[in-house]
Amino acid sequence: MSQEKFKEKVFQMIIGNLLRYGVWISLSIAFMGGITYLINHGNEPEDYSVFIEKDNNIFNVVGNVCEGLIHGSGESIIFSGILLLFLTPMLRLLISLFVFFLEKDYLYVFITSIVAIIIGLSVSFGFSH
């Protein structure tokens, strides 16, 4: 009984640290990207009269962010922080799925799998908007 509580406590600690450090790291990256963006483009006036919607799928966005990171683009650094912020709870979901599978709790494996599939499909194919 104490072994089960120990494993559960370790799992909760790992999940808590993952969420805590994932948020802090992603915010730090986005903050550094904001500083980089302001250093490079801080004096340029912004035109808010025209809004251009860039409706790309996630694969194009990730490719553009990686290309921008190679060139040191502040916008890409900010967006990589946002992507990391999104991936933090997704990683928590996948770790939970793995732990539920190890515990042979197949009902939660099934439910967590459905949630992961729905999120993955909505992000991949744009069902979220």
Side-chain angles (χ1 to χ4, degrees):
M1 181 90 162
S2 66
Q3 184 69 10
E4 281 184 28
K5 287 187 178 186
F6 177 74
K7 287 180 183 179
E8 192 173 312
K9 196 153 185 90
V10 168
F11 170 65
Q12 290 175 359
M13 189 176 70
I14 289 171
I15 292 298
N17 286 335
L18 169 74
L19 294 174
R20 182 179 303 113
Y21 295 128
V23 168
W24 278 108
I25 290 169
S26 63
L27 290 177
S28 300
I29 290 171
F31 182 74
M32 288 187 297
I35 291 172
T36 303
Y37 182 80
L38 288 176
I39 288 171
N40 294 331
H41 303 285
N43 294 329
E44 297 175 7
E46 192 64 39
D47 182 21
Y48 292 113
S49 64
V50 177
F51 179 74
I52 300 171
E53 184 176 356
K54 299 176 183 177
D55 193 18
N56 295 327
N57 67 14
I58 192 68
F59 303 113
N60 291 339
V61 170
V62 171
N64 293 339
V65 168
C66 290
E67 185 177 319
L69 286 174
I70 292 171
H71 299 297
S73 167
E75 289 178 67
S76 295
I77 297 171
I78 293 169
F79 208 86
S80 66
I82 293 170
L83 285 174
L84 184 61
L85 186 64
F86 170 74
L87 290 176
T88 300
M90 283 298 298
L91 185 58
R92 184 232 188 268
L93 185 73
L94 294 177
I95 289 174
S96 297
L97 180 67
F98 179 70
V99 169
F100 292 144
F101 186 76
L102 289 179
E103 292 177 350
K104 297 181 176 144
D105 196 349
Y106 297 116
L107 175 64
Y108 285 110
V109 168
F110 178 72
I111 292 169
T112 308
S113 299
I114 289 174
V115 171
I117 289 169
I118 289 171
I119 292 172
L121 287 174
S122 67
V123 168
S124 298
F125 297 113
F127 295 145
S128 61
H129 57 271

